[in-house]
Amino acid sequence: MRATAKHEPQCEPQLEIIMCGIFGYIGPKENSLELVIKGLQKLEYRGYDSWGVATELDGELFVDKKIGKISEANLDDFKDKKCNFAIGHTRWATHGGVTDTNAHPHFSSDKTIAVVHNGIIENYEEIREMIGKENFVSDTDTEVIPQLIAKYRKEMGFKEAVLETIKKLKGRYAIVVTNVGENYLIAARRGSPLIVGVGENEYFLASDIPAFLEYTQNVNYLDDDEMVIVDGGVEFMNITTGEPIKKRLVNIDLKAESAEKGDYDHFMLKEIMEQKESILRAINQDTDEIMHIAQMIKNSRGCFLSGCGTAGKVCMAGEYFFSLIANRHVNFAPSSEFPVYHHFLRPESLLIVVSQSGETADVLEAMEAAKKKGCKVLSIVNSEGSTIARQSDFSLHIKAGVEKAVASTKAATSQMALLMLIATAMVGELQEGRRLLAEVASQINDMLNPRFLTYIKDVAERIKDHENCYIIGKAENYPMALEAAIKIQEVSYVHAEGFAAGELKHGPIALVTEGTPCISLIANDEVKSDTINNTIELKARGAHIIGISPEKHEVFDDWIKVPDVGIASPLVNIIPTQLLAYYISVLRGLDPDMPRNLAKSVTVK
Ligand code: M6R
């Protein structure tokens, strides 16, 4: 729709809880709208409910926004629209309906100012009242931003009006603003990611690096409460004091192809296949750093592991690694629960957080709770320069490369490899740990062959029409049962649940009926026979058993052979479950890269 449309009925405004991707461009290229749309397509994993772009055309604000996926945008519609700057947005919404009008960019009533926003403006109601509710066309909190800028713009310059507006906002935001007549962009952040890409006389403002990776690898990270004015150069300032800030230009070691699908149908499959190399990169860490971290853990009094979703299950696996390898008890809590443990925290405690994106709001909250008690925070992230990395006392980069599919795969195995490596360093066996994990990577390389994939696809075919699927594992494979369930749930919408194998008889076994697919994760370890016995119990109730194990057993209806890698078994056992989830999704006609209701980076609590 064009900026002029005002026909949709007004409803009560709602807080718009969004995780979205934002992107802005300014520079010599005249195809800014196309460039911004292509960049947003690379951020589609951040949200795919609606999208929109804005620029100035013939002295007027041009806005085009619609519901649907940015990947479906028709670039031909923008070919003849020449402009040297543009802003755009791809939205993921949980509150505030998915409508054209609620899509971003939002603009002022006089259609001079447009804004894209990622976050929540908590005091939007107050600002709406102040401006006059009748002036608003959308149901979103975001619309207060351009309206307030326009109000201040009557009394002061554009930059000053943006600064004044930002000072009034409460909540979390990353915004990019543009104004008709003044050909520059202003961006600001508090609590939501925003990165400045610095090219040859051109600049990019984006929620994540893949949006502009084909143009530049040089970036400036914007920190909370900072603003940047981008025209012929970049000018950074502190929002509170208005003082200029000098920023370090950082070169990112990522290739544009790493953010592309290449020959694969989906990012999820590509990322599963990349695990043969990503694990090797994860363990290629500086020895002194790993030894230092191992010592930090040993010196701590109360060490906690925390993360969300898949990263949380990785932390649980870490709990087992630290216990089994380093004889050290580490406490795991999902980040959304971690602040509850604040009574146990003291300055000598250590919090280790694990996050692929480095932007997860629940993790940041856990870190805040720990810091309030004076604890040190170590982060294990895949996004260097992310908020979590920058807000920790010490950060390790897993180097898994860009992970775009919503379902986390290669990041998870890299995180596990690194936790295991640290555990071995704690007992002076770092070199042995490295050797074992390098061997695991090589075994994964052998395992991921076309025959293996075809076999897993056949197994997926047999279970794809079942509405329930259960996964069991014991010891270090228990967290993998939980993780396998997340994978299957999120991409195939099959009701999958993971259990500690020994817990079945305490309740869950009542769920099993004739033919229910049950996946049993088994390693050649001391709990193997227990897990086999629990699998036999499932079989006796009619379950169809898919055994993931180095050795065949008569209880299995389908056997997925994995290499025997000892204590590292979670790293190999999880891979067939990732592939099963992927193929069930595809066979059910779904898009595994963009599961419903989810976004890659969860930047709200
Ligand atoms: O970026 P993070 O690792 O902090 O994300 C945490 C979770 O949101 C994430 O692992 C989520 O559970 C994945 N979609 C699972 O595949």
Side-chain angles (χ1 to χ4, degrees):
M1 65 160 243
R2 291 295 302 254
T4 43
K6 230 183 169 178
H7 54 273
E8 289 187 18
Q10 287 201 25
C11 347
E12 274 309 294
Q14 291 176 306
L15 264 191
E16 194 188 9
I17 300 181
I18 48 181
M19 286 177 262
C20 323
I22 59 182
F23 190 35
Y25 169 79
I26 184 161
K29 299 190 172 78
E30 285 203 319
N31 62 338
S32 300
L33 282 168
E34 274 181 275
L35 185 150
V36 163
I37 290 170
K38 285 184 186 163
L40 286 172
Q41 288 173 340
K42 301 200 169 89
L43 298 183
E44 189 170 33
Y45 65 91
R46 300 182 69 88
Y48 30 86
D49 289 331
S50 61
W51 62 274
V53 286
T55 188
E56 180 185 326
L57 288 180
D58 306 324
E60 285 190 6
L61 183 69
F62 168 85
V63 179
D64 194 1
K65 50 187 192 170
K66 26 177 97 69
I67 59 171
K69 294 177 176 173
I70 183 83
S71 52
E72 286 157 12
N74 184 1
L75 287 169
D76 289 342
D77 293 348
F78 301 91
K79 281 215 160 22
D80 57 346
K81 297 186 170 49
K82 303 284 176 221
C83 45
N84 295 103
F85 67 94
I87 61 174
H89 189 272
T90 178
R91 178 176 183 235
W92 183 93
T94 57
H95 293 31
V98 179
T99 64
D100 286 351
T101 308
N102 286 345
H104 295 219
H106 289 284
F107 44 86
S108 54
S109 298
D110 63 2
K111 296 179 195 79
T112 57
I113 291 157
V115 172
V116 286
H117 167 222
N118 174 16
I120 304 168
I121 305 304
E122 286 163 7
N123 59 335
Y124 74 99
E125 271 182 297
E126 202 182 292
I127 302 174
R128 270 175 99 105
E129 291 282 342
M130 181 174 82
I131 291 169
K133 286 181 172 185
E134 64 287 357
N135 294 304
F136 288 80
V137 294
S138 80
D139 312 327
T140 68
D141 55 325
T142 301
E143 197 184 347
V144 301
I145 306 173
Q147 297 285 28
L148 197 55
I149 299 172
K151 178 175 153 47
Y152 289 130
R153 181 73 184 89
K154 290 181 188 144
E155 300 148 24
M156 55 187 87
F158 177 44
K159 290 178 200 173
E160 291 75 14
V162 175
L163 187 60
E164 211 45 41
T165 299
I166 291 169
K167 284 183 178 167
K168 294 279 179 309
L169 303 179
K170 291 196 180 126
R172 300 160 61 88
Y173 53 78
I175 56 171
V176 185
V177 189
T178 187
N179 181 17
V180 170
E182 276 146 309
N183 295 356
Y184 56 91
L185 304 178
I186 301 184
R189 76 160 271 177
R190 180 188 294 149
S192 298
L194 195 58
I195 300 151
V196 185
V198 181
E200 288 261 326
N201 300 318
E202 59 184 359
Y203 297 92
F204 309 84
L205 294 154
S207 308
D208 203 355
I209 292 165
F212 54 75
L213 202 51
E214 66 182 283
Y215 305 105
T216 182
Q217 287 174 276
N218 293 325
V219 305
N220 286 129
Y221 290 105
L222 210 60
D223 281 307
D224 279 352
D225 296 314
E226 290 180 356
M227 180 167 123
V228 58
I229 298 152
V230 192
D231 45 18
V234 273
E235 193 189 320
F236 294 95
M237 66 167 73
N238 180 294
I239 290 169
T240 324
T241 62
E243 293 291 310
I245 303 169
K246 273 205 161 31
K247 286 263 165 196
R248 193 168 64 91
L249 199 62
V250 179
N251 186 270
I252 295 297
D253 184 20
L254 273 181
K255 301 231 170 1
E257 313 81 78
S258 68
E260 303 295 338
K261 265 191 287 209
D263 292 337
Y264 290 97
D265 290 339
H266 298 100
F267 280 107
M268 185 175 173
L269 184 59
K270 175 186 179 236
E271 290 158 10
I272 292 172
M273 298 302 283
E274 282 172 350
Q275 291 176 105
K276 41 199 177 199
E277 300 106 29
S278 53
I279 291 175
L280 284 179
R281 288 198 298 272
I283 57 170
N284 184 15
Q285 301 282 342
D286 182 85
T287 299
D288 291 344
E289 273 189 18
I290 296 292
M291 292 310 295
H292 174 69
I293 284 162
Q295 202 53 50
M296 269 169 83
I297 299 173
K298 281 161 77 174
N299 292 348
S300 67
R301 290 182 62 203
C303 181
F304 295 81
L305 269 164
S306 190
C308 300
T310 293
K313 306 302 171 272
V314 164
C315 291
M316 276 182 84
E319 209 178 11
Y320 283 95
F321 292 148
F322 285 122
S323 166
L324 294 167
I325 301 171
N327 201 17
R328 170 84 197 205
H329 179 63
V330 170
N331 306 275
F332 162 70
S335 298
S336 54
E337 294 290 319
F338 182 80
V340 178
Y341 289 84
H342 69 94
H343 301 290
F344 300 106
L345 303 173
R346 44 188 150 170
E348 309 79 46
S349 311
L350 173 69
L351 170 63
I352 306 174
V353 292
V354 177
S355 170
Q356 189 285 128
S357 62
E359 300 294 345
T360 304
D362 287 328
V363 179
L364 284 163
E365 198 181 40
M367 291 168 66
E368 209 178 300
K371 284 180 168 183
K372 268 195 193 140
K373 292 289 180 112
C375 310
K376 288 264 177 291
V377 178
L378 157 69
S379 62
I380 296 183
V381 297
N382 194 30
S383 303
E384 252 185 324
S386 58
T387 310
I388 290 174
R390 283 176 300 133
Q391 292 189 2
S392 345
D393 297 289
F394 212 94
S395 187
L396 281 178
H397 180 211
I398 59 167
K399 306 180 228 174
V402 178
E403 190 183 73
K404 280 195 146 185
V406 166
S408 186
T409 54
K410 62 175 178 172
T413 44
S414 293
Q415 291 158 349
M416 279 195 282
L418 195 42
L419 285 172
M420 202 175 139
L421 195 73
I422 296 170
T424 59
M426 286 168 71
V427 285
E429 291 176 2
L430 179 59
Q431 288 323 320
E432 291 82 345
R434 267 209 180 104
R435 265 198 297 277
L436 170 62
L437 287 160
E439 175 59 21
V440 171
S442 135
Q443 299 264 20
I444 290 174
N445 189 23
D446 294 347
M447 183 170 85
L448 286 173
N449 60 59
R451 246 182 78 208
F452 184 75
L453 266 60
T454 308
Y455 181 69
I456 303 237
K457 194 172 177 186
D458 287 348
V459 178
E461 183 69 57
R462 285 194 275 286
I463 57 178
K464 74 170 199 316
D465 296 323
H466 287 265
E467 282 312 310
N468 302 300
C469 171
Y470 304 111
I471 307 105
I472 62 165
K474 194 172 169 77
E476 69 278 12
N477 278 293
Y478 163 44
M480 294 304 97
L482 303 180
E483 166 53 10
I486 295 188
K487 280 298 84 78
I488 297 173
Q489 290 158 5
E490 71 181 329
V491 299
S492 74
Y493 317 152
V494 167
H495 169 234
E497 268 192 78
F499 299 108
E503 281 294 299
L504 285 175
K505 54 189 176 293
H506 299 291
I509 202 155
L511 296 167
V512 175
T513 56
E514 197 59 38
T516 307
C518 291
I519 304 172
S520 184
L521 304 178
I522 300 171
N524 257 343
D525 56 14
E526 60 192 32
V527 299
K528 176 179 164 184
S529 62
D530 288 347
T531 319
I532 297 268
N533 284 338
N534 298 138
T535 310
I536 293 169
E537 287 155 22
L538 282 170
K539 176 87 168 180
R541 270 77 190 173
H544 174 96
I545 305 291
I546 299 142
I548 297 182
S549 158
E551 280 157 14
K552 197 170 180 169
H553 193 280
E554 58 191 15
V555 71
F556 302 156
D557 295 292
D558 288 303
W559 172 42
I560 301 176
K561 186 178 190 316
V562 286
D564 185 355
V565 290
I567 181 73
S569 66
L571 277 90
V572 296
N573 281 357
I574 200 61
I575 291 177
T577 71
Q578 297 169 343
L579 284 165
L580 274 173
Y582 171 75
Y583 284 121
I584 297 172
S585 170
V586 172
L587 292 167
R588 282 167 75 102
L590 302 168
D591 179 351
D593 283 349
M594 281 181 253
R596 68 184 175 206
N597 310 339
L598 289 168
K600 182 70 178 160
S601 183
V602 185
T603 54
V604 290
K605 287 195 281 173

